[in-house]
Amino acid sequence: MGSLRMEHVTKRYDDVVAVDDMNLDIEDSEFICLVGPSGCGKSTTLEMIGGLTTPSEGHVYIGDREVTDLPPKDRGLAMVFQNIALFPHMDVYDNISYGLRLRNFPDDEIDERVDEAAEILQLQGMLDRMPSELSGGQRQRVAIGRAIVRDPDVFLMDEPLANLDAKLRVHMRTELQRLQRQLDVTTIYVTHDQEEAMTMSDRIAVINQGELQQIAPPLTCYNEPANLFVAGFIGSPSMNFFEGRVDGTTLAFDSFDIDISNVDIPDGMTNVTLGVRQEDVYPVDQADSLAAASEAITATVDVLEPIGEQIFVYLDTGVEMADVGVETEDDDVGADVDSLLMGVEPDYQLAEGDEIEVVFDRSKLHLFDTATGEAIAHDTTAKQVVDEPQ
């Protein structure tokens, strides 16, 4: 059984809490990605699962066994890390097969497993090379092959594709998914790359400052983020945010209002943060294609960024955008935080300095409690249904 469970796991280093009360329940054969900003605790979480770091508190289970205090070799795991650790005096074949030979596997089975891994990882013809004769990407593939041949109960992978070139990285992403399905092995994969997390995993576990923010299928994290952090972190480019004031049945901003008559706003809440993704912002001449468009918002085109399949349009609305304090890979790209980002088709005619009107798709708007960051609604058109007491 490759199921895995973490119960109230905490890791402290002196006065620093790296992982805080982590609870994870991973089913057998699941592919789980741990994502979050640098220093959030995702690698520390992986290391506690693997036995490389001992929890300060809590328990770790693999299947029905508690493994909290077991050494890595007794946990039925195979680990691949970004920092490659190949034996420099052994060729590729011996590096991949080393663990099998320690366990006295028959030579013919070792040959079969190594050949299969070499084919998957495009290492045919390289098995007699030394690590010093390989590129960084090839050495990383050898490390992955060493894990593959062990046929473990659980794969642990920490940024295993980080050193590969872009084309090979996409290929390896597909091969890892195919391999995981073929072997039916539980896989826990740490990455900072949202595209990897969104495309590879059955569920994503989003971590920030050592705390689990949300664990859910990728599209659920994207379409129904649990809080402001998840909303700002998942998705590239990041979500647009405005901080508004609740005024009866509307959410009021300096130059526009959003109808929230169908949203159950908690009593006494006055400040609500509005979130809208760039694909849910439209020029006003496309409003008829929406089932429920917001009122028109006047804006000035600030920056145009053609990226091929669409154009990113940064708009100055005259309304200060909310900075929710989420660092992403896109922080140094494009216009500043006070620009509303919209995506349009590449043939849509716009020029910098144009004044245009835009609308939001109200069925895709996200509302968050500004004070706590917790999600209130992910659709401002659907009436909230409250279950009647039995």
Side-chain angles (χ1 to χ4, degrees), residues 3 23 64 84 90 169 209 214 283 303:
S3 60
N23 290 281
D64 296 328
I84 307 164
M90 294 183 182
R169 186 168 183 158
Q209 296 182 347
Q214 184 173 10
V303 176

Side-chain angles (χ1 to χ4, degrees), residues 162-208:
N163 294 332
L164 305 184
D165 61 70
K167 183 176 180 180
L168 185 55
R169 186 168 183 158
V170 172
H171 170 76
M172 279 300 306
R173 186 189 306 161
T174 303
E175 291 298 339
L176 282 177
Q177 292 177 78
R178 183 178 295 118
L179 176 71
Q180 194 267 344
R181 289 195 302 268
Q182 177 183 338
L183 299 179
D184 208 25
V185 178
T186 305
T187 302
I188 305 171
Y189 188 104
V190 166
T191 181
H192 68 278
D193 188 323
Q194 294 183 36
E195 187 173 342
E196 281 185 2
M198 294 289 288
T199 57
M200 296 177 71
S201 56
D202 297 315
R203 289 189 295 163
I204 295 174
V206 185
I207 301 172
N208 185 41

Side-chain angles (χ1 to χ4, degrees), residues 286-297:
Q286 297 179 1
D288 290 345
S289 66
L290 304 177
S294 70
E295 67 175 65
I297 301 167

Side-chain angles (χ1 to χ4, degrees), residues 103-136:
R103 291 164 178 78
N104 297 315
F105 275 70
D107 288 343
D108 57 347
E109 184 173 353
I110 292 176
D111 289 341
E112 181 180 348
R113 291 194 183 199
V114 172
D115 288 343
E116 182 179 358
E119 182 177 355
I120 291 172
L121 298 169
Q122 297 185 0
L123 291 171
Q124 303 100 316
M126 301 182 190
L127 294 179
D128 59 351
R129 294 189 188 180
M130 305 301 288
S132 61
E133 300 175 297
L134 304 176
S135 68

Side-chain angles (χ1 to χ4, degrees), residues 282-320:
Y282 295 82
V284 73
D285 58 14
Q286 297 179 1
D288 290 345
S289 66
L290 304 177
S294 70
E295 67 175 65
I297 301 167
T298 302
T300 302
V301 177
D302 182 17
V303 176
L304 296 175
E305 287 186 348
I307 61 168
E309 72 274 12
Q310 63 178 324
I311 301 174
F312 286 159
V313 184
Y314 292 89
L315 302 168
D316 181 1
T317 64
V319 177
E320 184 176 356

